[in-house]
Amino acid sequence: MILSTQLPLFPEAASTIAPEVDALYFFLIAVSSFFAILIFSLVFFFAIRYRRRSESERPRPIVGSLKLELLWTVIPLILSMVMFAWGAKVYYDIYTPPTDALNIYVVGKQWMWKLQHPEGVREINELHVPVGAKVRLTMTSEDVIHSFYIPAFRIKMDVLPGRYTTVWFEATRPGKYHLFCAEYCGTQHSNMIGSVYALEPDAYEDWLSGASAQALSMAEAGRQIFHQADCVTCHLSDDPLGPSLSGLYGSRVQLDSGETVVADQEYIRESILNPNAKIVAGYESVMPTYRGLLNEEEILQLIAYIRSINDISGTDGGSAATERMESDQ
């Protein structure tokens, strides 16, 4: 919205959702201001117009008006429903990431932001993204509640320990933008700041290729952790004690309780840290917990590896995934 960029109190609008957020905000301000001015004006007008002029004056009885009652009931109702519907749409748009978005992973920790690209590039308190590309942030915390806030993009999402939250954006103009933690998280909360660099696609590719030259991709790093943690013993052996990982991500899993759950990142994370929470039908509860042995970044890398096996299996009926898993053994 042009108005927001001209007022010094408002940050630059630099994402696709920013103009709609600003439009809704100014609509709410305009409606609130109109009715506040109207009500106070009527209060002063009625106080003067209908003041008592003498001790003997007796005001006439006021006869109610059904039309007037309906008018000041229906108009606020319509305005409230417009606000609700508009706000619900904006909320849905912000917190429903597109399926084709670029995935970037964020871990909040007192007092820094740790970010990792699928290609393996890691950043601390900085985020590089391409202009015109949809970017999905998958976030979690290693300690307390944080809040990932980029004012210029009009996005803010709590980052919670023990679960994943997501938000997405699409930068519309190159530049450097502020990144804040918007939730008090300790004595150095005010220092938990950073910068977001929105680059033209060619410049982003140049930056990414240079930064990722010596970095392992998240899936490859997860594969190494998979071997180091001896996950192959139960999941890739000839006589596996645990369920197969081929095609697991996104599939429906039957539990011994009779329930069916979707094997998403929340399910996989819980299975790593609390393996007894959901036992797969046909298998015993023999998997140890890796709580305290793996940090949040390593868990995200493991999930990326499991997801890569799933991506391979989805392309050719699982044969490539089988070959990959056999080579891992």
Side-chain angles (χ1 to χ4, degrees):
M1 196 170 199
I2 297 177
L3 179 58
S4 66
T5 62
Q6 295 175 341
L7 296 177
L9 295 179
F10 287 85
E12 184 178 0
S15 72
T16 53
I17 197 65
E20 192 167 359
V21 172
D22 289 348
L24 175 59
Y25 175 77
F26 286 119
F27 176 74
L28 296 176
I29 293 296
V31 172
S32 300
S33 301
F34 171 78
F35 280 102
I37 294 172
L38 176 64
I39 291 171
F40 277 99
S41 298
L42 290 176
V43 167
F44 285 115
F45 172 76
F46 290 151
I48 296 173
R49 175 66 177 82
Y50 298 105
R51 70 186 185 280
R52 190 175 183 181
R53 292 174 173 78
S54 67
E55 293 293 330
S56 61
E57 182 181 11
R58 295 293 183 267
R60 292 177 297 174
I62 297 177
V63 179
S65 171
L66 179 60
K67 292 182 179 180
L68 187 59
E69 294 283 352
L70 289 174
L71 186 65
W72 66 44
T73 300
V74 172
I75 290 178
L77 176 63
I78 294 174
L79 288 174
S80 299
M81 290 299 99
V82 170
M83 296 175 187
F84 173 80
W86 193 352
K89 179 184 179 301
V90 173
Y91 180 90
Y92 180 83
D93 290 342
I94 293 176
Y95 298 110
T96 306
T99 56
D100 59 343
L102 168 66
N103 286 296
I104 296 178
Y105 301 89
V106 181
V107 176
K109 180 181 180 181
Q110 294 174 317
W111 289 272
M112 68 176 69
W113 295 110
K114 298 189 291 184
L115 305 101
Q116 188 166 7
H117 298 250
E119 295 79 5
V121 179
R122 298 187 180 189
E123 303 185 79
I124 294 180
N125 294 334
E126 288 187 353
L127 173 61
H128 290 75
V129 296
V131 171
K134 301 176 179 64
V135 178
R136 170 178 173 162
L137 302 178
T138 299
M139 304 179 289
T140 189
S141 170
E142 287 190 1
D143 35 53
V144 299
I145 299 176
H146 302 282
S147 187
F148 194 90
Y149 180 37
I150 308 175
F153 295 168
R154 309 297 192 268
I155 62 164
K156 183 171 77 71
M157 172 58 76
D158 286 347
V159 181
L160 309 174
R163 59 171 294 186
Y164 294 120
T165 55
T166 59
V167 71
W168 76 279
F169 62 86
E170 180 181 343
T172 56
R173 62 184 69 178
K176 178 182 177 181
Y177 306 103
H178 293 294
L179 165 63
F180 297 100
C181 176
E183 181 75 27
Y184 181 74
C185 55
T187 55
Q188 297 184 43
H189 162 70
S190 60
N191 293 327
M192 195 169 174
I193 56 178
S195 300
V196 178
Y197 297 89
L199 307 176
E200 293 290 359
D202 291 342
Y204 174 77
E205 289 299 328
D206 292 340
W207 172 85
L208 186 63
S209 60
S212 62
Q214 303 298 324
L216 290 176
S217 69
M218 289 191 65
E220 186 60 31
R223 178 178 178 274
Q224 292 187 359
I225 296 169
F226 191 82
H227 283 267
Q228 293 168 1
D230 288 332
C231 303
V232 293
T233 304
C234 295
H235 294 283
L236 295 182
S237 63
D238 295 333
D239 186 19
L241 299 177
S244 171
L245 302 182
S246 177
L248 172 67
Y249 191 90
S251 65
R252 302 195 70 85
V253 177
Q254 184 73 34
L255 305 180
D256 62 355
S257 63
E259 298 177 89
T260 300
V261 297
V262 176
D264 56 10
Q265 55 195 14
E266 293 280 359
Y267 168 80
I268 296 174
R269 182 184 187 278
E270 183 181 40
S271 298
I272 294 171
L273 300 180
N274 186 16
N276 293 323
K278 295 182 176 68
I279 307 299
V280 177
Y283 294 93
E284 297 182 4
S285 177
V286 295
M287 179 174 170
T289 178
Y290 286 87
R291 187 180 299 276
L293 301 177
L294 299 176
N295 59 36
E296 293 293 345
E297 290 179 277
E298 291 171 329
I299 293 173
L300 285 169
Q301 289 166 354
L302 270 175
I303 294 173
Y305 171 61
I306 295 172
R307 190 169 185 171
S308 72
I309 296 175
N310 184 78
D311 291 342
I312 295 172
S313 66
T315 59
D316 57 7
S319 60
T322 302
E323 294 174 3
R324 169 78 172 272
M325 296 171 75
E326 288 175 350
S327 66
D328 287 344
Q329 297 183 59

